[in-house]
Each structure stands twice: as structure tokens, then as C-alpha cells.
Amino acid sequence: MDIEMISGGLQVCMFVCVWFYIEHNGDHLKICPQGYTCCSQEMEEKYSLQSKDDFKSVVSEQCNRLQAIFASRYKKFDEFFKELLENAEKSLNDMFVKTYGRLYMQNSELFKDLFGELKRYYVAGSVNLEEMLSDFWARLLERMFRLVNSQYHFTDEYLECVSKYTEQLKPFGDVPRKLKLQVTRAFVAARTFAQGLAVARDVVSKVSVVNPTAQCTHALLRMVYCSHCQGLVTVKPCYNYCSNIMRGCLAHQGDLDFEWNNFIDAMLMVAERLEGPFNIESVMDPIDVKISDAIMNMQENSVQVSQKVFQGCGPPKPLPAGRISRSISEGAFSARFRPYHPEERPTTAAGTSLDRLVTDVKEKLKEAKKFWSSLPSTVCNDERMAAGNGNEDGCWNGRGKSRYLFAVTGNGLANQGNNPEVQVDTSKTDMLILRQIMALRVMTSKMKNAYNGNDVDFFDISDESSGEGSGSGCEYQQCPSELEYNATDHSGKSASDKTGGTGARVGAQPYLLAVSCILFLVMQREWR
């Protein structure tokens, strides 16, 4: 049934109720107080639907805002990193064509392969960066060794022997070692951070569509519209009354908060690395100059390097006299390399810089911390859902226009046993929420590894088939309606709530342990 039609019809009914004061005994009502009322059973049922839609709409709006932030930042970072690689490859190609001419063009596939592997690592993670870089320098040594010794004939077996001396002779100086360290750490941090943004986006997406339980729906009806049945159309629910109902209806979301906050802290740690020693922009932008310096170093030390290789691999066979002259004219170095400093380097990737991107994301991450524990309070701060904190005596408390006397319960599922407004089954876990907790926990571990400069393996959370709903398919504004789970709690937490929140997490552990273990094994198999 169309929400606007329901809302319009209810407004007409309440106009009749209030202005003509048609009231009768409310024994027919199932949820609202059964004293004198102007609501029929049909009106109560329509109000029940409307209160459920109001709740889902307000929660969805808050989650969609957060999801849109992570989705847009992931898109910007992804665009930036990919364009940064494109710019670096173009800069190297332009520089080497002007500096080394035909020699570079004859060997350009070596450098094309290097950037291809870097792109493949960023996109899929299926590349061992250290091994790939070691292979690049070994292949470059083979090419260089042949060029600086163009008067000799080298078999493939001989060149394999030459490559074994890459680490021992250090023909390229200290550039390979430094670049390997810089590239590995920078790429791991960049890719992990981008994946973290995607995980945050998908977690919010999967949790954003709520389907309240019958108990939650009844509580929402009593809170939002039962006052209308007593003619109190303009009286809004008391804030603490709303808080208890939201913490009951969003109990499972409240259990996300602990792992969510750990995840946010880990993201902020990696962000610091991106701003400092693991800055991928400062590594990739001058990579052409660094590789050129390594090549020049090889040329300067070519005599000593060649002599040591000849000693270790044996003397090579000279080419016939005619082929020597032709080889020198076609491929050997005829002059010292010249360092190339282009007047204009490529513009910054995606029209911005890594520092600006990271500064922006850090601010958004800090704002997103404690989102799930503050969600009930955020919902109740919406004027559609409750009166302000300052209106404690003239608000609707579920029974009449008066002060709400019950204390506000804590966040999380384990705290809902004492909720005076919503009956919540604290023994029943929400598998969707558990999966998101596990996803956050795994990604937090990846973040910590990346912070320490260690390579990590990734899973694609968007590929998981939970059966409850779709993740990445929920774009910035609209999430899939088929995502269902039990009513959960959630809220903004005051200082007095912090102890309760911790208790909820500890108290929930016994019955979550077995399910979590099974879930972890299943997800681990899927991620592989």
C-alpha cells in the first residue's frame, strides 16, 4: 500500500477524531491503550504499518549517508591509485624514449610487464611484490649485460648464470633494495586502505535495511501513533522513551560497535602510514628517475661487473668480427646515458593528491566511530521520532502526556533483557550481523599487518553469498529490501552507558562462540 495514501488517510481520520471528538471505548484495540479512543481497529492497523515504515526510513537515511561516504571515498581512492600508475608508466615511457631511444623501445616490454604486475597486484592482490621486483631487476641485468658486452655471444643458460649475480654484485647500486622496500610497503598500504573503505561500505550496506520484529513493531506503534488515538496529535514521544525502543529494535546493530571501532582505529593507523613513509605517490612519481639512476650505475660499473661474471660463469664466446661491428652499431651503448628531467611531469592523479585524500578520509573515519552505538540516539534526535530532551513533562510516554520514568537501557543484545518497552529474545543471534562482525575483524587484522609493512591476503566481501541480502548492490541511496533480520538494538551512548555496552559484549560471548567458530571456518573457505 502506498505510504503517502496511508499517511493522507490517517490525517483525515485524525482531523475527524480531534475536531468532532468522536470517541468510544477502546476494547477493540490490540496495542494502543484501551481507554476512550477515537481510533478504530482498522486505523490502528494502518498506524502500525506507518510507524514501521517511519522507523525503517529514518534508520535507512542514517545508514545511507554513512554508506555513501565510504562508497564515494573508495571510488576516489581507487581512481587515484589507478591513475597514479598510469601516469607513472607514461612518464617512464616518455623519459626512456627520449633518453635511450631505440634501445629502450627494443626492450620496452620489460618495463610494460613491471607496471602490468603492479596493476595486477593492486586490482587482484595475486602478485608477490618482492619476487616480482627481484625478477624485474634480474631480467634488466640480463638485457644490460648483453648490451654492454655486445661483442660476445650469450646463450640463455649463460644469461641465467648472470642473473644469479644480481644480489651479490649489486650492479644497480642500492636502488633495487630501496625501491623494493618502498614499493612493497606503499602498495600494501594503499591497497589495504582502499579495500578497507570497500569493506566499510559493504558492511553498512548489509546492515542498513531493517525489518523490525513484531514486538518492535508494536513498540513503535505505541510510541509514534497511539497518542493520536487519544487526540494528542501534536504530542511527540519522550526522548528516553524513544531511546529504549530504539535500543531494543536496534539491539543487534549495537553489537557491531566494538569491532567497528577497532576497524576504524586500524584504518586511521594505516592512514598515518599513507601520509608518511608508505606514501605511494612519493614512491611512484619518481620511479622513472630511480630506475634510470640504476641503469646509469650499471653502465658506470659495467667493466667490474662483467669481469666478475666472467670469472663466475666462465668466459663468453666472442662474436665473429663482422657480427661484432654490426652488433655495436645496432645495439650497444655509444654514449653515456643522460639523466632526463622533463619540464612537465604528469598532473596529479585524479586531480588531487594523496595527502588531500587521506586528510579528508581521516576526518570522515573519526566521525564514523561509534556510529552503531549512537544510532538509537541519532534516530531519536529526528523530530519525526521524538520530542527534544528539554520537553520531559509534556511528551508522550506510551500511556499518556507525562514524564517518562524508566531508565534508559544499555546498548547491545545482552542488555535488552531489562528493556521496559521492547521484548527482545536475547538468546537468538542475528547471522547477518555475525557475518559483518567477522568481516570487520578480518579486515582489522589485515590493516594491522599493512601498518607494519607486511603483505596481506584479501577476500572480496562483496562476493559472499549470505542469503540475507546484497552488499555492493546497495548504492548510495537505496538498499535491497530483501535483507532481513531480527529487530536489533542500537544507540548513542552516554557516559553512563559505556559500562553497559562492555557488559553486553562480554555477556553475549557464551552463546555467540559456537556460531562464530563455525561461521569463521565457512567464511575462510569462501575467501580462498
Side-chain angles (χ1 to χ4, degrees):
M1 187 177 296
D2 187 84
I3 295 176
E4 293 184 0
M5 292 179 61
I6 294 175
S7 180
L10 294 176
Q11 290 175 4
V12 172
C13 291
M14 292 318 304
F15 177 84
V16 173
C17 176
V18 175
W19 290 102
F20 292 91
Y21 204 62
I22 302 172
E23 66 175 19
H24 41 270
N25 191 284
D27 292 343
H28 56 282
L29 299 180
K30 296 180 179 179
I31 307 300
C32 293
Q34 294 183 338
Y36 281 103
T37 182
C38 56
C39 282
S40 65
Q41 184 175 343
E42 182 183 4
M43 288 177 63
E44 184 184 48
E45 291 173 355
K46 290 180 178 180
Y47 274 137
S48 180
L49 292 174
Q50 185 66 42
S51 62
K52 183 177 179 179
D53 288 336
D54 291 345
F55 168 70
K56 292 170 67 175
S57 176
V58 173
V59 173
S60 180
E61 286 176 12
Q62 297 300 325
C63 291
N64 283 343
R65 290 192 189 101
L66 183 64
Q67 195 240 0
I69 288 172
F70 283 111
S72 62
R73 268 56 181 188
Y74 169 75
K75 183 178 180 181
K76 194 70 174 177
F77 264 86
D78 187 60
E79 178 184 282
F80 174 83
F81 290 141
K82 289 177 179 176
E83 192 170 326
L84 182 66
L85 285 173
E86 294 291 339
N87 287 348
E89 183 174 13
K90 182 179 183 301
S91 178
L92 183 142
N93 185 73
D94 292 346
M95 171 182 177
F96 280 27
V97 166
K98 292 182 180 180
T99 305
Y100 310 123
R102 187 174 60 178
L103 289 178
Y104 164 70
M105 290 184 283
Q106 291 173 342
N107 297 278
S108 61
E109 80 280 356
L110 177 63
F111 303 92
K112 185 177 181 179
D113 290 345
L114 169 65
F115 283 96
E117 290 296 283
L118 291 175
K119 292 173 187 175
R120 191 159 69 91
Y121 171 80
Y122 175 72
V123 172
S126 56
V127 175
N128 185 310
L129 289 176
E130 292 191 3
E131 290 182 3
M132 182 272 292
L133 290 170
S134 295
D135 182 63
F136 166 76
W137 291 112
R139 291 174 63 195
L140 183 59
L141 176 59
E142 291 178 9
R143 305 290 180 95
M144 290 288 299
F145 189 79
R146 177 179 284 167
L147 290 173
V148 298
N149 294 283
S150 57
Q151 69 273 32
Y152 296 105
H153 170 71
F154 299 104
T155 63
D156 291 340
E157 291 76 12
Y158 195 97
L159 291 176
E160 286 182 10
C161 179
V162 172
S163 64
K164 296 177 182 178
Y165 283 84
T166 306
E167 292 292 333
Q168 178 182 341
L169 300 178
K170 298 188 183 305
F172 301 110
D174 206 29
V175 174
R177 184 189 66 82
K178 290 182 177 179
L179 198 59
K180 182 188 294 185
L181 182 64
Q182 293 169 345
V183 167
T184 300
R185 288 183 170 181
F187 269 77
V188 168
R191 185 170 191 271
T192 307
F193 195 75
Q195 289 291 318
L197 292 173
V199 167
R201 173 201 64 194
D202 292 346
V203 167
V204 177
S205 171
K206 287 177 169 64
V207 181
S208 61
V209 179
V210 293
N211 269 296
T213 61
Q215 292 80 7
C216 173
T217 301
H218 294 165
L220 291 168
L221 170 60
R222 284 193 300 269
M223 181 185 86
V224 182
Y225 289 113
C226 282
S227 59
H228 292 197
C229 292
Q230 296 189 13
L232 304 174
V233 182
T234 61
V235 179
K236 294 182 178 180
C238 300
Y239 184 83
N240 287 347
Y241 175 41
C242 175
S243 295
N244 270 337
I245 291 177
M246 291 306 140
R247 293 187 183 208
C249 291
L250 297 170
H252 294 284
Q253 283 87 339
D255 286 341
L256 272 173
D257 207 56
F258 179 75
E259 291 299 338
W260 175 263
N261 293 338
N262 286 342
F263 166 77
I264 295 294
D265 288 339
M267 287 282 288
L268 290 169
M269 289 170 56
V270 176
E272 292 179 2
R273 291 295 205 196
L274 289 175
E275 290 179 316
F278 298 176
N279 188 314
I280 192 172
E281 190 173 26
S282 65
V283 171
M284 293 306 298
D285 190 47
I287 195 171
D288 48 4
V289 176
K290 293 177 181 178
I291 294 177
S292 180
D293 288 343
I295 292 174
M296 292 174 66
N297 192 78
M298 166 63 188
Q299 186 199 16
E300 292 173 353
N301 298 313
S302 61
V303 175
Q304 299 93 314
V305 170
S306 297
Q307 289 176 349
K308 291 181 179 179
V309 169
F310 294 160
Q311 292 174 2
C313 298
K317 295 180 179 180
L319 287 173
R323 292 187 60 188
I324 291 178
S325 60
R326 185 168 63 253
S327 176
I328 293 176
S329 64
E330 292 179 354
F333 295 129
S334 58
R336 291 181 56 83
F337 296 150
R338 306 178 307 281
Y340 171 66
H341 301 290
E343 296 180 0
E344 293 186 8
R345 298 189 65 83
T347 57
T348 55
T352 185
S353 70
L354 184 62
D355 288 341
R356 284 196 292 271
L357 286 175
V358 171
T359 299
D360 170 67
V361 171
K362 283 173 62 178
E363 179 182 339
K364 301 302 180 185
L365 287 169
K366 292 174 183 177
E367 293 174 359
K369 196 169 182 181
K370 297 185 178 180
F371 174 83
W372 302 108
S373 61
S374 65
L375 185 56
S377 296
T378 304
V379 171
C380 292
N381 284 331
D382 191 300
E383 61 180 10
R384 292 171 291 179
M385 302 302 292
N389 269 319
N391 186 15
E392 296 181 5
D393 294 317
C395 55
W396 172 255
N397 65 6
R399 297 153 189 85
K401 183 180 178 181
S402 182
R403 176 182 289 266
Y404 183 73
L405 300 178
F406 292 99
V408 177
T409 190
N411 279 305
L413 185 63
N415 284 320
Q416 300 315 306
N418 297 322
N419 193 315
E421 304 301 337
V422 185
Q423 183 180 352
V424 180
D425 185 354
T426 57
S427 67
K428 191 172 183 179
T429 60
D430 188 315
M431 294 303 295
L432 173 65
I433 296 295
L434 287 179
R435 290 177 70 88
Q436 305 320 304
I437 289 174
M438 186 63 68
L440 291 170
R441 188 174 298 165
V442 170
M443 195 64 222
T444 299
S445 176
K446 308 293 187 187
M447 288 287 174
K448 291 179 179 179
N449 280 332
Y451 176 79
N452 293 321
N454 300 323
D455 203 353
V456 293
D457 295 323
F458 287 95
F459 63 92
D460 184 358
I461 188 174
S462 65
D463 287 342
E464 67 177 73
S465 53
S466 64
E468 292 98 349
S470 171
S472 59
C474 171
E475 285 302 325
Y476 305 162
Q477 297 302 324
Q478 185 62 41
C479 293
S481 60
E482 66 270 17
L483 188 63
E484 297 184 359
Y485 51 87
N486 296 319
T488 32
D489 158 332
H490 181 116
S491 89
K493 200 178 258 191
S494 61
S496 63
D497 295 325
K498 292 179 181 177
T499 303
T502 305
R505 180 172 53 83
V506 175
Q509 286 178 352
Y511 66 84
L512 294 179
L513 182 58
V515 177
S516 297
C517 291
I518 296 172
L519 193 59
F520 176 77
L521 293 174
V522 172
M523 293 181 71
Q524 192 175 49
R525 181 182 62 187
E526 290 180 2
W527 297 336
R528 289 175 183 166

